[in-house]
Amino acid sequence: MRIALRIALAASAALLTLGVAQAQEKTLRIGTEGAYPPFNNLTADGQLVGFDIDIAKALCDEMKVKCTFVAQDWDGIIPALQAGKFDAIVASMSITPERQEKVDFSHKYYNTPSAIAVPKDSPLKGVTKEDLAGKNIGVATTTTHFNYASKTYTDSTIKGYPSSPEEQADLANGRLDAIEDDIVVLQQFLDSPEGACCKILGQPSPQPVEIFGPGAGIAVRKGDTDLVNKLNSAIDAIRANGKYKEINDKYFKFDVYGAES
């Protein structure tokens, strides 16, 4: 009887230990682009780095789950999420009504404005539709910036690119008159040797919420309410405990979170 009891207790302990281990080993697979510095970038040795990556790691720590990252081309990032390639997208994805038809979002985790960059010797004086009439404007496709440029600069030629580095290269090489992108991404480009050619001309105004949304959020599959709630709580927690500021200050000289909402 005692031997049987000991065996049962040992089995129960083993199952309990296994359950704890499984809980500790829970993994959240995160998709990101890897071509949008300083938010996310793939280094020469294959490492994903940037603000998005550090924020994702902080959120995983807060939720007590293990993070793994998957680099995914921007054009296919939502289909890849829907297909189960990963569980969440942390890739500076703006929360928009169009995207909310396909995925669910957390609260925003940052919000920065759009801007226009041009060569330093450009004769352009402003960023209105009239100012840019007849000009070639480069924008990354399937982004809020592309939607805005296409709807606003109807007298210009809008040229789509797979990601920001390609449009930046064409601006630097004189194949474009202007590019539109997030102001932080543009400033990162301008601060590099490749971007010494160019300058920020200005910020389009107004920047309609119906196009740009309230900020960048974390996308999950439709109906994954439990994960959304956990992410929202984790975002609130790192904002409150100082971890967000620590990451923010590593990359930026101002609070990219934007106004409280």
Side-chain angles (χ1 to χ4, degrees):
M1 180 68 73
R2 288 181 180 178
I3 293 174
L5 181 59
R6 286 174 183 173
I7 292 172
L9 289 171
S12 297
L15 288 171
L16 180 60
T17 301
L18 178 61
V20 171
Q22 287 176 334
Q24 289 174 339
E25 291 170 3
K26 181 175 175 58
T27 299
L28 186 66
R29 298 167 301 160
I30 295 174
T32 194
E33 183 187 13
Y36 198 58
F39 293 104
N40 58 77
N41 195 37
L42 193 63
T43 64
D45 61 353
Q47 299 298 309
L48 283 163
V49 298
F51 177 78
D52 286 333
I53 310 306
D54 287 357
I55 288 291
K57 289 177 179 177
L59 296 177
C60 287
D61 287 345
E62 189 65 36
M63 295 187 292
K64 296 179 172 54
V65 298
K66 178 183 176 182
C67 269
T68 60
F69 292 90
V70 180
Q72 171 68 50
D73 289 345
W74 181 257
D75 287 355
I77 203 165
I78 286 180
L81 172 70
Q82 294 170 324
K85 187 174 180 180
F86 34 79
D87 306 304
I89 298 171
V90 186
S92 294
M93 181 173 283
S94 296
I95 304 165
T96 66
E98 180 184 6
R99 288 174 180 150
Q100 285 174 313
E101 293 176 2
K102 302 174 183 176
V103 298
D104 288 339
F105 280 100
S106 71
H107 299 327
K108 73 167 185 177
Y109 64 97
Y110 83 85
N111 188 19
T112 50
S114 172
I116 299 284
V118 298
K120 285 182 176 176
D121 60 359
S122 172
L124 292 170
K125 302 298 182 185
V127 297
T128 67
K129 174 183 176 179
E130 293 73 25
D131 289 324
L132 294 172
K135 303 301 180 182
N136 295 313
I137 305 173
V139 194
T141 56
T142 67
T143 65
T144 53
H145 302 289
F146 187 84
N147 294 342
Y148 179 79
S150 299
K151 291 179 180 180
T152 303
Y153 300 117
T154 52
D155 294 332
S156 306
T157 299
I158 307 301
K159 188 173 181 181
Y161 291 83
S163 63
S164 297
E166 287 91 345
E167 75 189 38
Q168 294 166 2
D170 270 9
L171 182 67
N173 292 327
R175 290 188 283 268
L176 292 170
D177 299 299
I179 58 175
E180 181 184 347
D181 212 326
D182 184 282
I183 193 168
V184 174
V185 173
L186 290 177
Q187 191 60 58
Q188 172 101 352
F189 164 58
L190 299 179
D191 289 341
S192 71
E194 296 78 14
C197 59
C198 304
K199 65 180 181 181
I200 288 178
L201 182 62
Q203 296 178 31
S205 182
Q207 304 211 353
V209 174
E210 63 270 19
I211 294 179
F212 289 108
I218 300 169
V220 304
R221 282 183 289 278
K222 271 289 187 185
D224 198 345
T225 306
D226 183 57
L227 182 53
V228 168
N229 290 338
K230 288 177 179 177
L231 287 166
N232 285 340
S233 295
I235 291 169
D236 292 343
I238 66 170
R239 286 284 294 169
N241 66 21
K243 186 63 179 180
Y244 185 98
K245 185 178 187 307
E246 176 187 325
I247 297 169
N248 182 101
D249 293 353
K250 175 181 173 181
Y251 294 95
F252 314 113
K253 296 179 180 178
F254 60 96
D255 185 0
V256 295
Y257 187 79
E260 295 291 342
S261 57

